[in-house]
Amino acid sequence: MNKFHGKLVAGLASVAFFGLLGSALAQEPAGAAPAYAPPPAPPPAPAASDNMSGQLGIGVGVGAGGTSLISTRDAEINMKYWLSDTLSLMPQLALGVFTTSGLSTGYKIDPAALILYCPWKTTSTRLSVGGGLGLDFEKVPTRTPGTPPGAPPTATIPANATIGITLPIYAGVEHFFTKWFSMGVAVQNDFLAYRKNGTTHSFDFGFDTTATTRAVGFLFFYTD
């Protein structure tokens, strides 16, 4: 009887030992390093306070006249979208309606789109240079001479509308008082211009400081 109990106890102890050993081997191989979850990726760095990427601005510009400081005939509406902190897209639309005593009303519509690059900036001031493509539509009425010679004009005959294609180039400095408001000055020149009026046409290439170069003062309001 004592021998039977001794064999029973030894058998149970063996079963328990090998069962625990098998459970431990099944849970984790010997010598394996414990698995850990990878650390989370750091959050993206916030953009600098003067970064203009994605900002959209709407503004107005007024050009300097040949004999006056401000010419309402050269007023224009501008938009500027910053594709990145150094590259922007600026559509322009110059509109003008003008009259002269004794003449019918004339008009001017000049749309353009420019790509601008910012090669230099400080915290609140940026220099932008670039170029683009523009169209010109203008109609200025004329008068027929009087009869007999020297008499006042007797009729008003509209001139043919002028249609043109231009390649404007641009350089301007923009100062930001806040991120949503800026003012600046720029110089714009039609580096290449083709214009047609009736049966006549003209083609200009290069820097023409008397006809196609103009200075513009502008202001922009940006989305916040």
Side-chain angles (χ1 to χ4, degrees):
M1 182 61 93
N2 290 333
K3 290 182 179 181
F4 175 75
H5 284 292
K7 291 181 180 180
L8 180 61
V9 171
L12 292 176
S14 299
V15 171
F17 173 77
F18 286 109
L20 292 174
L21 180 60
S23 177
L25 292 176
Q27 289 179 1
E28 186 172 334
Y36 295 101
S49 59
D50 62 341
N51 191 309
M52 294 299 295
S53 300
Q55 296 293 315
L56 174 64
I58 299 176
V60 294
V62 178
T67 58
S68 60
L69 181 62
I70 296 176
S71 171
T72 56
R73 181 168 174 170
D74 289 326
E76 62 186 33
I77 302 172
N78 296 329
M79 293 182 64
K80 185 182 285 188
Y81 177 72
W82 288 87
L83 303 170
S84 69
D85 194 40
T86 57
L87 195 66
S88 61
L89 172 65
M90 186 172 73
Q92 296 178 330
L93 179 60
L95 298 172
V97 177
F98 35 90
T99 61
T100 302
S101 177
L103 297 178
S104 59
T105 301
Y107 64 83
K108 173 183 178 180
I109 304 174
D110 297 343
L114 291 82
I115 292 288
L116 304 180
Y117 172 69
C118 175
W120 176 85
K121 71 172 184 175
T122 65
T123 303
S124 56
T125 304
R126 292 170 178 252
L127 170 67
S128 295
V129 295
L133 177 66
L135 300 175
D136 287 352
F137 303 96
E138 185 170 0
K139 187 172 184 179
V140 180
T142 59
R143 291 181 293 189
T144 59
T147 303
T154 57
T156 298
I157 301 178
N160 293 314
T162 299
I163 302 175
I165 300 176
T166 63
L167 295 178
I169 55 176
Y170 174 100
V173 176
E174 186 174 4
H175 180 78
F176 290 81
F177 294 92
T178 67
K179 196 170 182 177
W180 57 268
F181 176 69
S182 69
M183 296 181 65
V185 292
V187 176
Q188 188 165 323
N189 178 77
D190 291 339
F191 184 68
L192 185 150
Y194 173 82
R195 293 181 174 87
K196 186 176 186 300
N197 185 305
T199 58
T200 64
H201 68 273
S202 64
F203 181 82
D204 296 324
F205 179 78
F207 296 96
D208 187 345
T209 58
T210 60
T212 63
T213 299
R214 60 194 180 97
V216 180
F218 60 85
L219 58 85
F220 272 96
F221 295 92
Y222 285 92
T223 57
D224 192 2

